[in-house]
Amino acid sequence: MKEIKFDFNNLFSSSVGALHGVRQEEVAASSEVILKAHAHLKKIISSRQERINLSLEWVNLPFAAKEIIAVIQKLGGEIAKKYEFVLFLGIGGSYLGLKAAQDALAPWYYNEFAALRKGRPRIYFDGNNLDPDTLAVLLKQLNPKKTFVIVISKSGETTETKAAFSVVEPWLKKGAGKNYGRQILAITDPASGALRQKVNIEHSKDKLSFRSLPLLKGVGGRFSELNMGLLHLAIIGVKIEQVLAGAASMRKRCSVADIFKNPAYMYAFLHTILYRKKSKPIAIIMPFSETLKSTADWYSQLLAESLGKKYSRKVTSDKFGNETWKMDTAHIVNLGRTPIAARGTNDLHSIQQNNIEGVNDKVVTFIKVEKFKNEIKIPSARGILSGKVYSHLLNLAEEATEWALVHEQRPSVTIILPEISPYYWGSLLFFFEMATAFEGELLNLNAFDQPGVEGYKNYMYFKLKKPGLCEKIAAEIKSKPLVKKTKFII
Ligand code: PA5
């Protein structure tokens, strides 16, 4: 069976010059650094306790038990059969993976045409913003009697998701009647959080109401698509085993120390050199596929939240070798590449101008698809386009973009997918997850926390008068308010 390929020709100095490219000797000269990072990752991955404590349990998601998959497939099948609409509420890691799967694995225009859905429900996502112009419109259009609501929040405390659910629940109650709770399912932490508490209380009154699926311990939101996203896959009719098989195969490839056999390590290592030694802090993720654009958005979150960090990681070990990671607050490092999700060919007519002639501070990651699900042939007598098929033109555009970048001494890499199938999509996700974990090792960061997102939350909690907000935080916000001078607003 074919596997995903990683082509890194265009990163080397032989292609893009010594100023902007990696010298091949640099890879050989870094073997010690690579082996050290590999040994550390291997050590923490091999211990269940470490995986859970340090949030690396996602490495085992590809090996979900058959019985669990069967339960989720069955539940998804039941929901799909019974409801016309399924509304998912969630944000960040509780949204982006599902949206990526929807766009990549369901037929494009799935919601618009019954023939494409094959009897399955239309899918909607909300709770991923606080924009009243989405949810308000949606709730006016959906029929609550025919809608199933799936609320996803690992913490069960996220404001956006809470706000959406606080509106959707009474809407459902009003429209669907007293058994409305049977149309709600929560995917959340098995024990903690406001959502878990709510679900447990409601579920104890009626066992068919407010059902829930537990999220695995030690899996952070953005690494959890292969856990929290499975029910969504089942509802839209994607074979979960195939997604997981693809991820499992990538896991195997990404477990070896030899960087020339490990695509995730090579990807992370080369990007780290370009970032640190060749001033390339911008990561453009550019699939040449409309349906993979949301996967690029998903990876953008993974990269930004995992590796954009103020402090390095300080590792301490107990007498059994079990590690604790803390932030090394003695030094501010402000590390991390900045992702920009794009897609070809659409963005060749927008940001590509900047990629080619703007500051040479970017590395473009192309995702190229060899075989598409559909094909279109252009009729004859259409000049140079006569008789050409779309997939050929799309891949030619990708090749042309690689050439144009190389020509201007701009580094890029290409991930090649044989096709956009559940197997290769699962494989792609795992590739990016493993690459992110390895990049975290190379940068000596904790890739599995996101302390930087607390700032805006705390400010909102302060303004919303959340009980129990830490006094130190409240005092800090009070002492340093946002200053808005009218003379600077014109
Ligand atoms: O990756 C993460 O942990 C975050 O992006 C979360 O997924 C996001 O903040 C949503 O959190 P929760 O699932 O707890 O509502």
Side-chain angles (χ1 to χ4, degrees), residues 91-94 152-158 161 220-223 228 301 305 450 457:
I91 191 166
S94 295
I152 310 180
S153 177
K154 180 161 175 82
S155 63
E157 300 286 350
T158 303
T161 315
R222 57 192 175 276
F223 287 86
M228 73 167 59
Q301 186 218 8
E305 258 192 350
Q450 55 285 326
K457 289 188 191 170

Side-chain angles (χ1 to χ4, degrees), residues 58-249:
W58 54 268
V59 296
N60 277 349
L61 294 180
F63 312 121
K66 280 197 171 61
E67 306 75 56
I68 292 177
I69 298 173
V71 168
I72 293 175
Q73 293 276 26
K74 188 164 171 276
L75 180 60
E78 282 165 16
I79 295 169
K81 219 166 151 189
K82 213 165 160 194
Y83 294 94
E84 266 183 40
F85 314 104
V86 176
L87 171 55
F88 288 90
L89 303 177
I91 191 166
S94 295
Y95 156 66
L96 286 156
L98 282 79
K99 173 76 169 117
Q102 180 71 33
D103 288 353
L105 302 179
W108 199 249
Y109 302 118
Y110 168 98
N111 268 7
E112 282 84 348
F113 301 105
L116 297 177
R117 290 196 303 279
K118 301 198 173 98
R120 292 179 184 276
R122 288 185 170 91
I123 302 293
Y124 296 94
F125 299 99
D126 212 292
N128 57 335
N129 209 328
L130 289 165
D131 183 342
D133 282 341
T134 61
L135 191 57
V137 173
L138 188 61
L139 296 186
K140 272 187 202 135
Q141 299 306 320
L142 292 182
N143 178 345
K145 289 194 175 69
K146 297 179 178 177
T147 304
F148 194 81
V149 175
I150 300 180
V151 51
I152 310 180
S153 177
K154 180 161 175 82
S155 63
E157 300 286 350
T158 303
T159 304
E160 290 87 340
T161 315
K162 253 188 187 173
F165 190 58
S166 305
V167 173
V168 170
E169 191 196 353
W171 167 84
L172 203 56
K173 191 174 184 176
K174 190 168 168 225
K178 66 174 177 23
N179 286 333
Y180 78 98
R182 296 179 181 188
Q183 293 170 225
I184 291 175
L185 185 141
I187 303 181
T188 188
D189 187 88
S192 65
L195 182 60
R196 169 54 62 194
Q197 277 174 27
K198 160 95 181 156
V199 164
N200 286 355
I201 292 169
E202 299 290 347
H203 188 67
S204 68
K205 295 181 209 157
D206 169 16
K207 293 289 168 218
L208 297 175
S209 279
F210 286 81
R211 284 174 293 167
S212 63
L213 292 176
L215 285 171
L216 280 188
K217 264 192 168 162
V219 183
R222 57 192 175 276
F223 287 86
S224 68
E225 167 56 19
L226 302 179
N227 179 196
M228 73 167 59
L230 301 186
L231 182 61
H232 163 251
L233 294 176
I235 291 171
I236 61 170
V238 171
K239 294 227 160 44
I240 293 174
E241 319 80 81
Q242 290 177 9
V243 176
L244 298 184
S249 153

